[in-house]
């Protein structure tokens, strides 16, 4: 094809057909421009196809990640409920008319578990990778904003959890330093443990145990609300991601 164009151009120049040559030149330029345009459009289509495939792949990764998160948070809610039920039982028993020092000692020394719910699952590798590589920007705007909002909420949950956890830990250490819980004391049974609890004053023990119960209850309530909020956002985002995957 190029050989024929060159022969035509040479023939026109030899015959001094300038206008015909100019028309030919314009046509040749037009053909070149059209060729470049088609090549660019094809390249854009190809790049767009690759971008869509990458988004689909990343959506699949996020779906699996969020499914794991959802299971983790549901397990945490079960753990929260376990401790909450125990606290309610302690409060009920201590509020009975027949409750006495023995009741209080039985609960604080032998039954009360210092365990607390700590939400510290770091499952952000996929999200961080997409953010750092810029691949997150290939997602549709509304979906991208929902993803940003969810992972920002993760940070809030982690911060709230740490704040309440250390507040509870401080109260626990204060109580444990004076009385000693069976679960944490080096003197679980025997003469030393008995000596610590032998002459315990009911008022002192009740006053010390009250803030420990309240701090733990407040922590559990706050974390339950935070986890429920994150779970609602996670479930909503999972629905949108699955829809986007099917589109």
């Amino acid at each position: 094809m190029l050989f024929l164009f060159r022969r035509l151009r040479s023939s026109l120049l030899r015959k001094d057909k300038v206008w015909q040559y100019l028309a030919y030149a314009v046509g040749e330029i037009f053909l070149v421009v059209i060729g470049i345009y088609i090549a660019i459009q094809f390249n854009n289509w190809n790049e767009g196809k690759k971008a869509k495939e990458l988004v689909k792949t990343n959506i699949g990764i996020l779906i699996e990640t969020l499914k794991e998160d959802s299971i983790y948070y549901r397990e945490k809610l079960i753990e929260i409920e376990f401790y909450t039920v125990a606290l309610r039982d302690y409060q009920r028993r201590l509020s009975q008319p027949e409750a006495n020092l023995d009741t209080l000692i039985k609960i604080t020394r032998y039954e009360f578990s210092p365990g607390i719910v700590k939400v510290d699952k770091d499952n952000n590798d996929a999200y961080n990778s997409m953010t750092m590589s810029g691949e997150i920007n290939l997602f549709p705007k509304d979906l991208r904003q929902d993803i940003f909002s969810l992972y920002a909420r993760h940070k809030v949950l982690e911060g709230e959890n740490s704040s309440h956890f250390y507040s509870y830990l401080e109260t626990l250490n204060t109580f444990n330093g004076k009385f000693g819980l069976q679960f944490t004391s080096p003197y679980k049974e025997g003469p030393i443990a008995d000596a610590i609890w032998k002459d315990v004053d009911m008022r002192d023990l009740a006053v010390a145990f009250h803030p420990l119960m309240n701090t733990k209850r407040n922590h559990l309530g706050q974390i339950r609300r935070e986890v429920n909020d994150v779970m609602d956002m996670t479930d909503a985002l999972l629905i949108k991601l699955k829809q986007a995957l099917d589109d």
Side-chain angles (χ1 to χ4, degrees), residues 143-160:
L143 195 56
R144 185 170 67 244
Q145 289 301 323
D146 288 342
I147 295 170
F148 286 152
S149 297
L150 175 60
Y151 280 92
R153 199 71 180 79
H154 281 189
K155 293 295 183 184
V156 173
L157 172 56
E158 292 169 8
E160 290 287 342

Side-chain angles (χ1 to χ4, degrees), residues 81-114:
E81 185 61 21
F82 171 80
Y83 285 123
T84 302
V85 168
L87 289 177
R88 287 177 188 149
D89 180 62
Y90 300 152
Q91 186 173 15
R92 178 189 61 78
R93 289 160 58 193
L94 292 172
S95 300
Q96 298 298 316
E98 64 272 18
N100 54 28
L101 179 59
D102 289 338
T103 308
L104 187 57
I105 290 177
K106 187 174 189 301
I107 290 173
T108 55
R109 182 178 178 182
Y110 297 107
E111 298 181 13
F112 179 78
S113 171

Side-chain angles (χ1 to χ4, degrees), residues 114-120 158-173 215-216 218-220 222-223:
I116 198 70
V117 178
K118 198 167 189 307
V119 182
D120 56 359
E158 292 169 8
E160 290 287 342
N161 180 79
S162 294
S163 174
H164 286 276
F165 173 76
Y166 288 113
S167 175
Y168 167 73
L169 192 61
E170 183 178 353
T171 308
L172 176 64
N173 287 336
T215 307
K216 186 169 184 175
N218 291 339
H219 171 81
L220 293 171
Q222 180 65 32
I223 296 305

Side-chain angles (χ1 to χ4, degrees), residues 5 22-38:
F5 277 124
L22 289 175
Y24 159 80
V26 170
E28 189 174 15
I29 292 171
F30 177 75
L31 288 174
V32 171
V33 171
I34 290 297
I36 293 173
Y37 174 77
I38 292 173

Side-chain angles (χ1 to χ4, degrees), residues 54-55 57-63 65 124-139 147-148 151:
L54 182 58
V55 169
T57 299
N58 283 335
I59 284 176
I61 293 172
L62 279 178
I63 287 174
T65 299
N124 301 336
D125 288 349
Y127 169 75
N128 291 337
S129 176
M130 293 175 201
T131 303
M132 293 178 65
S133 67
E135 293 174 3
I136 194 74
N137 296 319
L138 298 175
F139 283 71
I147 295 170
F148 286 152
Y151 280 92

Side-chain angles (χ1 to χ4, degrees), residues 3-49:
F3 175 72
L4 291 175
F5 277 124
R6 291 195 188 99
R7 286 191 62 183
L8 178 58
R9 181 175 57 188
S10 299
S11 175
L12 291 172
L13 287 173
R14 285 196 300 270
K15 296 176 181 179
D16 290 332
K17 295 182 178 181
V18 177
W19 290 110
Q20 288 90 332
Y21 173 75
L22 289 175
Y24 159 80
V26 170
E28 189 174 15
I29 292 171
F30 177 75
L31 288 174
V32 171
V33 171
I34 290 297
I36 293 173
Y37 174 77
I38 292 173
I40 290 173
Q41 290 300 109
F42 177 77
N43 183 67
N44 289 342
W45 174 83
N46 194 43
E47 290 299 320
K49 184 180 178 183

